[in-house]
Amino acid sequence: MKIAFIGLGNMGGPMAMNLKKAGHEVKAFDLSAEACKKYAAEGLGIASSAADSVAGAEVVISMLPASAHVEGLFLGGAGKPGLLESIAAGTLVIDSSTIAAATSRKVAEAAAAKGIAMIDAPVSGGTGGAIAGTLTFMVGGEARDLERARPVLEKMGANIFHAGAAGAGQTAKICNNMLLGILMIGTSEALALGVANGLDPKVLSEIMRRSSGGNWALEKYNPMPGVMDTAPASKNYAGGFGTDLMLKDLGLAQENATAVRAATPLGGLARSLYAAHSLAGHGALDFSSVLKLVQKAS
Ligand code: NAD
């Protein structure tokens, strides 16, 4: 299949590589020349612009940071035409970015008006899942469009859920990430408390992992440096899922909670804690660095 892939960041790069490895003809584009160079060196086809990448594509995939990037790319603005103008009718667009459900619906409606099918398919599983091709996709949109997307999604993920109509994938994603943001802070607090009492963080992590406090952070993403070689914490919190991206998702959850009058007290507190962490200069570090907020500096 001819696939255009836009956004070669921490997630998009490895996802595009998995499509190439599966035999698809991928033409990718990123605004960052550095990202394009990195993946060109790995053999990925690189286009000269987003419009160039979609020429002749049967499927267009986007993996961008936030709502404004997705809206700006597809709908344009400030006198610039959106990418929807360059995408042929009948093409399938899959947006895997985590953005506001309302933005997903707006872009999907504009696409439908041009005869272009679009689904929101945000992911969970982190950069490890993107590299291994084991992501979870949470899809919003028409069931028939998901079926068209399935063979492509299966090359990048292990679990595919249909959450509901357009935007529903985004709603499922912010519920999940609100929980993840909260549990990373809780896990950090528990580890910092144990270490302050002289416990070995590796031993404590293993005790909690196998006890009732066990969770995804302890399984795959331990926030304490040196406990888990593969976790961003052991790589100076580089790569992974940026604090500012987690802050964005918690903001989306709070906006949504306000709109539907839901009570999300811990989600609100978690957003404030990640905001404080970002203001302290840690926005670009992986979100598990939130441990620094609760641990005595060594
Ligand atoms: P990232 O910041 O590493 O990458 C985003 C890429 O998009 C950058 O390379 C940037 O140059 C590019 N970009 C921005 N605007 C562009 C445009 N108009 N055209 C082309 N390229 C453009 O972000 P990421 O970690 O890859 O995350 C991408 C999305 O996936 C976010 O919405 C994030 O919330 C979500 N997500 C991330 C993770 C994770 O662990 N990193 C996990 C699940 C979901």
Side-chain angles (χ1 to χ4, degrees):
M1 218 179 248
K2 287 189 172 178
I3 300 176
F5 202 109
I6 302 166
L8 297 173
N10 290 328
M11 296 294 286
M15 290 165 72
M17 286 304 292
N18 280 332
L19 293 175
K20 178 189 145 43
K21 282 178 204 152
H24 292 294
E25 194 182 318
V26 182
K27 242 175 137 186
F29 177 70
D30 194 295
L31 286 178
S32 152
E34 201 184 320
C36 291
K37 210 170 133 193
K38 175 177 172 191
Y39 286 101
E42 292 191 31
L44 196 66
I46 301 292
S48 58
S49 65
D52 177 32
S53 74
V54 303
E58 299 157 83
V59 174
V60 176
I61 304 175
S62 48
M63 191 52 164
L64 305 181
S67 299
H69 305 87
V70 175
E71 190 169 337
L73 175 74
F74 288 107
L75 304 187
K80 270 179 66 185
L83 194 62
L84 288 182
E85 302 297 331
S86 306
I87 299 175
T91 307
L92 173 67
V93 177
I94 302 170
D95 178 40
S96 282
S97 327
T98 303
I99 64 171
T103 307
S104 278
R105 282 193 290 271
K106 183 177 171 184
V107 179
E109 277 166 24
K114 293 188 176 299
I116 299 165
M118 181 159 187
I119 58 172
D120 45 295
V123 302
S124 176
T127 44
I131 294 165
T134 56
L135 293 170
T136 293
F137 284 93
M138 310 168 200
V139 177
E142 300 284 345
R144 63 170 184 271
D145 295 331
L146 166 55
E147 290 319 309
R148 276 178 75 191
R150 194 179 289 279
V152 174
L153 300 182
E154 280 173 349
K155 298 291 181 257
M156 302 182 284
N159 303 295
I160 301 168
F161 293 103
H162 190 196
Q170 299 295 353
T171 305
K173 172 68 186 169
I174 56 164
C175 293
N176 179 74
N177 273 27
M178 184 175 80
L179 177 58
L180 172 63
I182 293 167
L183 72 79
M184 188 58 83
I185 294 169
T187 303
S188 296
E189 276 183 25
L191 284 169
L193 178 63
V195 168
N197 280 278
L199 266 61
D200 178 334
K202 277 193 180 170
V203 173
L204 177 58
S205 293
E206 191 56 9
I207 292 170
M208 295 195 296
R209 188 176 78 82
R210 290 171 178 260
S211 304
S212 43
N215 66 61
W216 185 84
L218 289 169
E219 288 289 343
K220 300 204 165 146
Y221 218 94
N222 197 295
M224 188 71 76
V227 173
M228 203 173 264
D229 289 348
T230 51
S234 298
K235 301 170 189 161
N236 292 320
Y237 300 104
F241 180 46
T243 293
D244 283 343
L245 287 178
M246 174 54 88
L247 181 57
K248 170 204 60 161
D249 290 359
L250 290 168
L252 290 173
Q254 290 307 292
E255 277 170 28
N256 187 285
T258 304
V260 300
R261 302 185 71 200
T264 52
L266 292 183
L269 178 57
R271 199 210 71 83
S272 289
L273 291 171
Y274 285 101
H277 187 50
S278 178
L279 285 173
H282 301 125
L285 296 185
D286 180 77
F287 80 112
S288 62
S289 64
V290 75
L291 174 93
K292 290 175 188 282
L293 265 188
V294 293
Q295 194 193 27
K296 202 172 127 209
S298 52

